[in-house]
Amino acid sequence: MASHRGGRMTESKGRPPALFPLFAGIETLPGIGPKARAALEQMGVTRPRDLVMTLPTGGIARRRIARIADARPPEIVTLTLTVSRHHAPTARNRPWRVHCSDDEGGDVTLVFFRARGDWIASQLPVGARRLVSGKTELFDGLAQMIHPDHILPEGDPPPAGFEPVYPLSAGLTQKMMARGVEAALTRLPDFAEWIDPQLVAARGWPGMAAALDQAHHPASARDLSPDVPCRARLAYDEFLAHQMTLALVRREKRRLRGRPSAGDGGLRARVLAGLPWPPTGAQSRAVAEIAADMASDRRMNRLLQGDVGAGKTLVALLAALVAVEAGGQAVLMAPTEILARQHARALEPLARLAGVRLAALTGRDKGEARAMILTDLAEGRIDILVGTHAVFQKDVAFADLRLAIIDEQHRFGVAQRLELSAKGHEPPDMLIMTATPIPRSLALSQYGDLDLSVLDEKPPGRQPITTVMIGDHRLDEVVARLDSAMEKGARAYWVCPLVDESEVSDLTAAEARFTALRARFGERVRMVHGQMPADQRDAAMADFASGRAQLLVATTVIEVGVDVPEATIMVIERAESFGLAQLHQLRGRVGRGQGASTCLLMYHAPLNETGTRRLTTLRDTEDGFRIAEVDLEMRGAGDVIGTAQSGLPRFRIGDLEHQAGLMAVAQTDARALLERDPDLSSPRGQAVRMLMWLMQQDQAFRLISVG
């Protein structure tokens, strides 16, 4: 199989010869010398294929006019001029001026800075007629054009009325890019259609080669939009190749024989009977999907996505009980010690209802206590283990691990997921949970190999949260209102801002606020932050949870999972410095009990447009999925998930913010094609293979069954 640059696979075994010209070195294109090659490599363009997939990001409209008097400066125009005379510079920093006239005697001056006189003389000899295109401006009431974009002999075809503008790196010009693209387009082979013909017809999409040609030759600004047919089709090509790879990975995972873990429902029934209210429809549906996966002989790989307060904890416990009912064990892993301990506290009463033993294991467990947990775990006396990365250590062994639940997946790498899989005698079923609502398009592109369960209903006990925006000049008023609420027994969080490190650290800001509030409220105030020793942090949290303290000053360490149902007030200072998803998570720390809850978004005026949209979105809705969609529109895909750990594919053309719907279609299409044609041997299957080579999904080919 053919390699990516730096190759793992050999050309002879895979890539179709029809694609060889597109995968040759970029320097094989005319006009691309060593300098241009180095500049293109800066943009990740190393082959003609990369160049054809680099579409224009803008365009220049050039209006053809007969007389300079018809120009509307500053405007880009194309017109025929006669060269009258040259005015060479009289001093070093002066420009070279060339005086010209149109056919009706209108005057325009072409201006060149630091230009060579011999070059100008050869381009614009006196008396010659030239087709000139560039931006007209008025200088002292006279028309001029500084460094025209095009100077052509009169008989040449005029430049396009709408000229594409490409992204550039240092050392490249638009002309070099345009020339390179034109040459690369000639190397496109005659592709067989790989998209479902019904979809092509329904959407009015051109073929692949025609789509690329149209995308590189836009006729107007409208043709740069992601939803014009040619661009939508090219985005779909990328999405389809990506989803084919994920579908193959999913099929491979499902081939891994899991052990059927069919529970009799007895332990789950005990828990449900002891709850103050029944589970939501979404919770019941998710548990049913998980139990069905676990009962099958295929290994489960499922993502459980829930909004803040949608009740993932209950679903996780009921899933764990399926494993225990089947005679095995379950592990729940959290990214931080605070979260692991808290999960253990939240799950303990539910485990007691079921009559099963639950234990916590974190880096803090040492010596004899740790040794006892490990012995009990290895001998099967612990049914459910809750832990952090400490679970990865070599001495942690299970008697019969059936289910691994990972909380906050995007903080765990795929390598760690695989490491955890190796813990069971056979790989355990895998349930991944995220409390961050992710727009569907991103969930499909990041987790398309997983089956998806979504919790989109709030349990009956959750209170709506009143969200208010308030300027920080009213700080004294906020403190006074807090005072009167605390007098009535209220508990509150005060989250300190994210601060630019050049000024002062986040911790310094939190400590200053803590000192000020401690002076006002005395012993009722505690502080938690990420750099505190774990025992001090736990002690402060315990004081707040028990009511010994009423006000908890914190950095974003409390963003995920902290659960104190009695807390009803959340103050977020400099709220505009936080991301939308983070604000939504912070707000979700209140509204967990019976009391009416409030979230104060304290901002520093004046708010810019982004800050205003962020805070008003949060004020106007509690729907995490809606908030996530706005976040995606505002920040882009990589930022929403955090590109470093996102595993998000980098699409050259596809735009997840604007073409989200296409990703879902591509997933359905890819999975259906694999069902019908498992080894991609049909004519369409063969065409899809070509697409995957073109989109550099080489690694997927080892997953295609042969025959």
Side-chain angles (χ1 to χ4, degrees), residues 202 241 460 583:
L583 288 169

Side-chain angles (χ1 to χ4, degrees), residues 600-613:
L600 292 177
L601 303 172
M602 199 160 28
Y603 63 88
H604 185 69
L607 276 178
N608 62 18
E609 191 181 334
T610 306
T612 303
R613 185 168 182 210

Side-chain angles (χ1 to χ4, degrees), residues 645-668:
Q645 72 272 36
S646 72
L648 267 182
R650 293 238 163 72
F651 297 116
R652 278 192 179 270
I653 295 172
D655 175 350
L656 282 171
E657 288 95 279
H658 297 106
Q659 296 167 314
L662 291 178
M663 185 61 83
V665 179
Q667 186 192 58
T668 308

